[in-house]
DNA sequence: ACTGGGTAAACAG
DNA sequence: CTGTTTACCCAGT
C-alpha cells in the first residue's frame, strides 16, 4: 500500500493505493503536520498516474465540477452490501442529491435506509465516491463522517443548499 | 417540535 | 446467538 499526500485548494488529502487502485482517502488533518514525504521510494507508474487522476478529480469536485475521469478504486474491504451502496453513490451526478431511503429503494431493499447510512459512513473514499450527496428524507443534512462542515462545503460547491442551512 | 416503534446491517462477545 | 449501535423514516401526538 502506497501512501500519498495530495495537495488541493482545500488542504492536503491523504490517499492510499493498493495494486488495484485508490483504497482510501482522508480529509486534511486539522493539524496537518507536514510529515516528511511518503517513505515509499518505489512508486509504480500506475500509482503515479492514479495520483494525478485523484488530484484532478478532487480539484474538480471541490470546485463543483463533474470529474472527467476517476482513478480506479479498490473497494475490496467492504461487504457486498456496502459495495452495492458505494456503486450506487457513483451514479449521483454533481449537483443532485438522494435520500438514504431512496438509495435503499433503488437497491431493492426498502426499509434499509438506516443501513444505507451506515454504509455511507463506512465509505473509504469520500468526495470521489460522493456520499455527501445523500441527505435525510426531510431535506436536512444527515451526518458525515468527515464532519458536517465538509458536507456543507462540498454541497455548496455544487450549488445545493440543504434545509436549515 | 418531540417521541416511539419499525427497520436492515455491522460488530462485539 | 443476543445485544448494541448506527450518517434513517414515518406516523402519531
Amino acid at each position: 500500500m502506497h501512501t500519498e499526500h495530495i495537495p488541493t485548494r482545500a488542504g492536503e488529502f491523504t490517499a492510499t493505493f493498493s495494486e488495484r487502485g485508490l483504497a482510501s482517502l482522508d480529509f486534511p488533518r486539522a493539524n496537518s503536520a507536514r510529515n516528511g514525504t511518503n517513505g515509499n521510494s518505489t512508486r509504480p507508474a500506475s500509482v503515479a498516474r492514479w495520483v494525478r487522476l485523484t488530484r484532478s478529480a478532487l480539484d474538480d469536485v471541490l470546485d463543483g465540477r463533474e470529474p472527467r475521469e476517476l482513478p480506479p478504486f479498490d473497494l475490496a474491504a467492504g461487504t457486498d452490501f456496502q459495495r452495492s451502496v458505494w456503486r450506487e453513490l457513483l451514479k449521483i451526478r454533481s449537483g443532485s442529491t438522494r435520500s438514504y431511503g431512496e438509495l435503499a429503494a433503488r437497491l431493492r431493499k426498502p426499509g434499509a435506509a438506516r443501513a444505507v447510512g451506515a454504509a455511507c459512513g463506512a465509505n473509504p473514499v469520500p468526495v470521489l465516491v460522493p456520499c455527501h450527496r445523500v441527505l435525510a428524507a426531510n431535506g436536512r443534512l444527515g451526518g458525515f463522517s468527515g464532519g458536517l462542515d465538509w458536507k456543507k462545503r462540498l454541497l455548496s460547491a455544487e450549488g445545493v443548499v440543504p434545509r436549515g442551512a
Side-chain angles (χ1 to χ4, degrees), chain A residues 79-92 98-120 134:
Chain A
T79 65
D80 288 347
F81 175 76
Q82 288 170 335
R83 285 198 306 267
S84 75
V85 170
W86 302 336
R87 270 198 309 277
E88 202 63 33
L89 292 176
L90 286 166
K91 299 182 188 168
I92 311 177
R98 295 265 158 69
S99 75
Y100 297 95
E102 283 170 345
L103 274 187
R106 216 167 247 247
L107 294 170
R108 301 273 181 65
K109 302 214 170 194
R114 202 162 186 174
V116 165
C120 289
V134 187

Side-chain angles (χ1 to χ4, degrees), chain A residues 32-109:
Chain A
S32 188
R34 199 84 33 254
N35 257 359
T37 51
N38 38 292
N40 247 320
S41 47
T42 69
R43 187 168 73 174
S46 56
V47 170
R49 168 177 163 73
W50 296 342
V51 169
R52 287 195 304 274
L53 285 174
T54 300
R55 183 157 50 81
S56 85
L58 268 180
D59 285 338
D60 284 338
V61 177
L62 290 168
D63 287 344
R65 294 185 302 272
E66 192 82 54
R68 284 197 271 79
E69 187 179 357
L70 294 171
F73 301 121
D74 180 358
L75 302 176
T79 65
D80 288 347
F81 175 76
Q82 288 170 335
R83 285 198 306 267
S84 75
V85 170
W86 302 336
R87 270 198 309 277
E88 202 63 33
L89 292 176
L90 286 166
K91 299 182 188 168
I92 311 177
R93 293 211 309 291
S94 178
S96 62
T97 63
R98 295 265 158 69
S99 75
Y100 297 95
E102 283 170 345
L103 274 187
R106 216 167 247 247
L107 294 170
R108 301 273 181 65
K109 302 214 170 194

Side-chain angles (χ1 to χ4, degrees), chain A residues 121-134:
Chain A
N123 171 18
V125 191
V127 186
L128 298 191
V129 176
C131 52
H132 59 279
R133 294 179 190 145
V134 187

